[in-house]
Amino acid sequence: IRLKRVNLSYNFPESITSRISLRSLQVYASLDNYWTWTKDKELPFDPEQAISGVYNTTTPISKTVNFGINIGL
C-alpha cells in the first residue's frame, strides 16, 4: 500500500483576510511518496523499484514534502 500523493490546503475566510488587507490567503502542503507499507517485513526495498534478479541498492523513490502560501493582493 502506498500513499502516493496528498494535497492539503486551507483558504482563510474573508473575515480574516479583509482585516489584513488581502483579497485571499491560502496555505497548503503537498506530500509525494510519503508512506509505503508492505506485508512482507523481509522485503528490504520499495516494491515498485526495478529488480534485476540481483540484490540491488539503487536509490529508492524519493519522498517529497512541499509547503506554500498563496496571497491575493
Side-chain angles (χ1 to χ4, degrees):
I1 298 172
R2 168 163 296 178
L3 184 61
K4 185 86 170 169
R5 176 165 292 146
V6 174
N7 295 311
L8 303 169
S9 67
Y10 180 74
N11 293 313
F12 286 87
E14 187 178 341
S15 60
I16 293 174
T17 58
S18 63
R19 279 190 258 160
I20 55 177
S21 301
L22 295 177
R23 192 182 50 172
S24 62
L25 179 62
Q26 177 191 50
V27 293
Y28 64 89
S30 175
L31 309 168
D32 291 325
N33 301 314
Y34 194 72
W35 180 73
T36 302
W37 177 80
T38 58
K39 185 175 180 180
D40 185 358
K41 299 294 182 195
E42 300 299 318
L43 190 62
F45 51 84
D46 185 339
E48 289 186 5
Q49 187 176 348
I51 300 173
S52 64
V54 177
Y55 180 70
N56 197 343
T57 57
T58 59
T59 305
I61 297 172
S62 62
K63 297 178 182 183
T64 307
V65 179
N66 294 305
F67 296 100
I69 299 173
N70 290 325
I71 300 172
L73 300 175

